[in-house]
Amino acid sequence: MRRLSLWLLGIVVCAALLYVLIPIVSYETISGHNTNATHFDTLIVLGHPAQADGSPDPEMRERVEEAVREYRAGVAPNIIMSGGPAHNHFVEAKVMADLAEREGVPATAVIAEDKAQDTIQNIWYSRGIMQQKGWTSAEVISSAYHLPRTDLILQRYNGPLAFSWRTHASLWPPDYPWQKRIQYRWHEALGTVKLRLYGFGHRKFLPEA
């Protein structure tokens, strides 16, 4: 009886470990680039909802500030801020563009893409702007936990829509406790496992696989 209990306990422990390890391994092994380039035509900053008063929320602020640092470092001469009024009536791209300009980025270097309602549309509409400008490469900036899902979206851009890209993480907001950071990463890890297993399905703003 004791052996059976230990055997069952071993099965439960192994199952629990697999439940944790499979999402983590899947999440951490998604490629974050399709090029080894270090300079790009543009940065693409993925949107995040503004606060209720229209000011940048902590994650939005960190994404923009990372873009400003990359712009100043010469990674790209242009920035596409992407995001419409997806969660409230404030256009995310405009809030982000205004912040970048206050940080010293010339208005002529910033383009506000104001239609996107989610990450898939962020990439779709930004790619459209790139095509209009004749740009063929981009560094895509977002929060660290959000990048693996973004990578899976970018991997769909093949054939005529293909472009050179890499993703780049912004810093965590200083006021985010470690518990919140783990929660966000775990939620995204579970989501990316499902996407790798079942795909995105047919999406209007996503190239077919």
Side-chain angles (χ1 to χ4, degrees):
M1 187 69 178
R2 188 168 180 273
R3 281 186 181 179
L4 179 60
S5 297
L6 290 173
W7 185 72
L8 290 174
L9 178 61
I11 291 176
V12 170
V13 170
C14 288
L17 286 172
L18 287 174
Y19 176 75
V20 173
L21 287 176
I22 288 174
I24 290 174
V25 171
S26 175
Y27 181 70
E28 296 293 345
T29 56
I30 297 171
S31 177
H33 60 88
N34 71 352
T35 178
N36 292 321
T38 56
H39 298 278
F40 299 86
D41 293 321
T42 190
L43 307 172
I44 298 173
V45 185
L46 304 188
H48 194 271
Q51 300 194 97
D53 62 357
S55 62
D57 95 320
E59 276 192 59
M60 177 189 279
R61 183 190 66 243
E62 293 296 341
R63 294 181 190 187
V64 173
E65 291 186 353
E66 189 64 33
V68 172
R69 285 190 286 269
E70 292 291 273
Y71 174 83
R72 289 174 177 164
V75 174
N78 306 287
I79 307 176
I80 299 172
M81 302 294 187
S82 177
H87 299 273
N88 52 43
H89 67 279
F90 295 106
V91 176
E92 295 166 15
K94 183 173 188 316
V95 178
M96 294 192 297
D98 289 345
L99 176 56
E101 290 168 28
R102 290 197 299 272
E103 295 282 340
V105 178
T108 54
V110 181
I111 297 174
E113 181 290 296
D114 60 2
K115 298 184 182 67
Q117 299 293 304
D118 56 29
T119 307
I120 288 175
Q121 292 185 28
N122 285 145
I123 305 301
W124 178 265
Y125 285 119
S126 296
R127 180 65 181 119
I129 292 171
M130 290 176 63
Q131 287 181 306
Q132 292 169 11
K133 298 287 186 180
W135 298 339
T136 59
S137 62
E139 179 181 84
V140 181
I141 297 173
S142 190
S143 306
Y145 71 88
H146 183 236
L147 289 182
R149 177 156 52 98
T150 305
D151 295 328
L152 292 178
I153 295 168
L154 288 162
Q155 289 170 14
R156 294 285 290 268
Y157 280 77
N158 299 304
L161 291 176
F163 64 101
S164 299
W165 59 268
R166 77 177 180 190
T167 52
H168 181 79
S170 59
L171 299 176
W172 285 98
D175 54 336
Y176 276 21
W178 65 267
Q179 299 96 325
K180 186 172 187 176
R181 301 182 189 195
I182 291 175
Q183 177 189 352
Y184 278 24
R185 291 182 73 87
W186 178 245
H187 175 78
E188 284 289 318
L190 291 177
T192 53
V193 167
K194 292 179 183 177
L195 290 174
R196 296 187 86 172
L197 286 173
Y198 305 112
F200 288 91
H202 176 72
R203 300 288 189 93
K204 178 180 177 182
F205 296 100
L206 187 66
E208 295 294 334

